[in-house]
Amino acid sequence: MKLNFFISIIGKTIDEIKECKKMGNIAATKTEKSKYLALLIMNILFLLVYLIPIIYSFVMIVGAFIYGPIVLLEI
């Protein structure tokens, strides 16, 4: 599996965040502004929920490379 799949989702989400922010600034009514603010918050939360397991996986992989040989040496 290629990492482009994960990176493209992050890029699309960041583009949507920028778009929601821009549309919220030019919105005419309060209901439109609140709608775009809600979309902005949901995109940010999606990005956080999406990135936490990915970062955790990379930390575990790096930790396995660092602590694996130490465990094998029984230090």
Side-chain angles (χ1 to χ4, degrees), residues 16-26 36 40:
E16 287 182 15
I17 289 171
K18 290 177 184 176
E19 182 72 23
C20 288
K21 186 176 181 183
K22 183 177 74 171
M23 294 299 289
N25 288 337
I26 63 172
Y36 288 117
L40 178 74

Side-chain angles (χ1 to χ4, degrees), residues 5-7 11 14 18 24-25 28 31-32 34-35 41 44 51 53 57 63-64 69:
F5 177 73
F6 296 112
I7 295 171
I14 291 173
K18 290 177 184 176
N25 288 337
T31 56
E32 288 181 17
S34 64
K35 178 177 76 171
I41 291 171
I44 291 171
L51 285 177
S57 298

Side-chain angles (χ1 to χ4, degrees), residues 28-67:
T29 63
K30 285 186 178 181
T31 56
E32 288 181 17
K33 287 184 181 186
S34 64
K35 178 177 76 171
Y36 288 117
L37 179 64
L39 287 171
L40 178 74
I41 291 171
M42 287 303 296
N43 280 321
I44 291 171
L45 290 175
F46 171 76
L47 196 60
L48 289 175
V49 169
Y50 183 75
L51 285 177
I52 288 172
I54 292 173
I55 292 171
Y56 182 73
S57 298
F58 285 130
V59 168
M60 287 291 134
I61 291 169
V62 170
F65 281 112
I66 293 171
Y67 292 114

